[in-house]
Amino acid sequence: MVLRLLILLTFGGTVLASPTPAQPSWKPEMARELAPDALLVRLDRLVNVCVASYEDLTTDLLLGIAIANAQLRTILKQQALQEPQRQFVESLAKKCDFVESRIESIFSFPSGANAVVSKLLIDSEFWQSEGDGKMVAIPDQMRNRRSRRRRSELMMNDPQAMMESYLEAIDAGGPSELQSDECLSELLVNESENEFNTTANPKAGPTARRLILSRECSAAMSLRKRSYGYHLTHKLLFYIVLGRQRFANVDRSFVADGQRTLCEQILRESELIAGFDYPDLFRDLFMEQVFLCAFSDAPDFTNPGWLAAIVSWQNGEGCFKYYADGGDGAGGPNALTAHCSTHMTGVGAALLGLFARFQLVGQ
């Protein structure tokens, strides 16, 4: 389903001129490759593949484009953009609008949970940033100290045994993809029974909607039940959507605590994947982990080394694909299906837009 979301090659010189907001404390050799203009150029290449393959777009890919489009809309609200840059971002956002419009011809109501969720989440307005603060860079010294501590903790165990245990656990737990769709549809259409009533928000206005969540979804999304892999990222996506719905009976601190708890669990998995040098099998999952937790403002996931690894997986066509498939840059009638994983490419689009926004606008 769409919900396994879940998101820089600069050509000969910088195409765009950057403003001067606070920048992340990234190492100099990464600065050009990970600069916001370079990320936007990469996103443009990715979107061009989607425009050329409009009839073959999937909901996974459309969701990523909608999220990327939301980041572009947030960037365009900034007065500090120089005119060449603004024109480039406006042009890119218009392409994203065109790609995003494909959802209108894919699904019609009434339909199942998958279609309901796809139709309602593939909307750039839903994903636009609510804040206007500048991104706070993590000092390199602090980041390195954290990294050394975590590496030493990992080395206390047998890394190979840890990976074998992870492979055994990754399919365990919930929610399943079907449960994710059904529970997200309950958040979006709001028609069930709820355990979250205990988190009532006394500050919510009298006209705010109340969430009524089914017992099944309350159990599936419970933080008391351990999840791994995509089950864990699906659970985080649920909490992200829950927070953006602003239900009267759900306190925002409850949602924030849930997202923080989930990203702490996800971080252990992400560090394990990175420690094994990003095996092809886990790259799609790793991208999803980084995007969702960075979107949730978890600072450890703005790691420039991780972002550099991810952007290096974008192939010659402009998209992402499993197992380092051959044929990068080769021509063909359908680059999307020949050279791209639509899920990875969707997550890649969301990531590129998000990290460009972090640098140009903030979190």
Side-chain angles (χ1 to χ4, degrees), residues 122-348:
I122 299 173
D123 179 357
S124 57
E125 291 187 7
F126 182 89
W127 295 100
Q128 286 196 37
S129 174
E130 299 169 333
D132 58 1
K134 297 301 181 185
M135 182 178 181
V136 178
I138 302 176
D140 287 335
Q141 186 176 10
M142 182 182 299
R143 183 186 299 280
N144 292 339
R145 185 163 58 248
R146 289 177 179 176
S147 299
R148 285 195 299 270
R149 185 181 70 247
R150 291 201 180 99
R151 283 197 298 269
S152 65
E153 289 171 353
L154 287 173
M155 292 307 294
M156 292 173 64
N157 300 285
D158 179 356
Q160 188 62 43
M162 290 177 65
M163 179 56 78
E164 290 174 0
S165 297
Y166 183 52
L167 285 168
E168 292 176 1
I170 197 168
D171 290 326
S176 66
E177 288 191 22
L178 178 59
Q179 285 177 316
S180 294
D181 290 344
E182 291 174 343
C183 296
L184 283 170
S185 70
E186 289 188 10
L187 295 184
L188 294 166
V189 298
N190 196 26
E191 289 182 349
S192 304
E193 189 179 333
N194 178 18
E195 95 170 21
F196 291 95
N197 282 324
T198 57
T199 64
N201 180 2
K203 297 181 181 179
T207 60
R209 294 176 302 150
R210 294 179 64 82
L211 171 63
I212 306 174
L213 193 69
S214 67
R215 291 181 180 272
E216 292 77 11
C217 286
S218 182
M221 298 300 172
S222 173
L223 297 179
R224 294 187 295 271
K225 295 183 178 179
R226 182 70 176 171
S227 300
Y228 301 90
Y230 289 109
H231 302 298
L232 189 54
T233 54
H234 286 183
K235 193 176 287 187
L236 177 57
L237 177 60
F238 176 88
Y239 273 80
I240 290 172
V241 175
L242 174 64
R244 298 185 81 79
Q245 290 295 79
R246 295 184 175 277
F247 292 108
N249 56 328
V250 179
D251 195 282
R252 296 189 74 180
S253 64
F254 169 81
V255 178
D257 289 344
Q259 291 181 14
R260 183 176 61 254
T261 297
L262 291 168
C263 285
E264 287 172 354
Q265 297 172 14
I266 289 171
L267 181 61
R268 290 191 284 270
E269 297 189 16
S270 300
E271 289 180 327
L272 183 62
I273 293 170
F276 274 85
D277 197 25
Y278 316 102
D280 288 340
L281 178 64
F282 295 112
R283 288 183 177 182
D284 177 82
L285 173 61
F286 183 79
M287 291 171 67
E288 190 167 299
Q289 292 170 336
V290 171
F291 167 72
L292 289 171
C293 284
F295 190 84
S296 300
D297 297 332
D300 290 289
F301 289 85
T302 58
N303 184 323
W306 288 3
L307 180 59
I310 289 170
V311 299
S312 74
W313 305 335
Q314 188 176 22
N315 63 27
E317 293 292 340
C319 53
F320 296 81
K321 193 168 186 176
Y322 291 102
Y323 307 124
D325 295 279
D328 287 358
N334 191 340
L336 186 65
T337 57
H339 302 289
C340 310
S341 158
T342 55
H343 181 260
M344 283 186 76
T345 301
V347 180

Side-chain angles (χ1 to χ4, degrees), residues 8-11 33-48 88 92 307-308 310-320 348-349 352:
L8 306 196
L9 208 65
T10 331
F11 296 108
E33 185 180 18
L34 303 183
D37 294 343
L39 296 175
L40 291 171
V41 168
R42 283 186 171 270
L43 179 59
D44 187 57
R45 292 172 53 214
L46 186 157
V47 173
N48 285 341
F88 184 88
L92 181 51
L307 180 59
I310 289 170
V311 299
S312 74
W313 305 335
Q314 188 176 22
N315 63 27
E317 293 292 340
C319 53
F320 296 81
L352 293 171

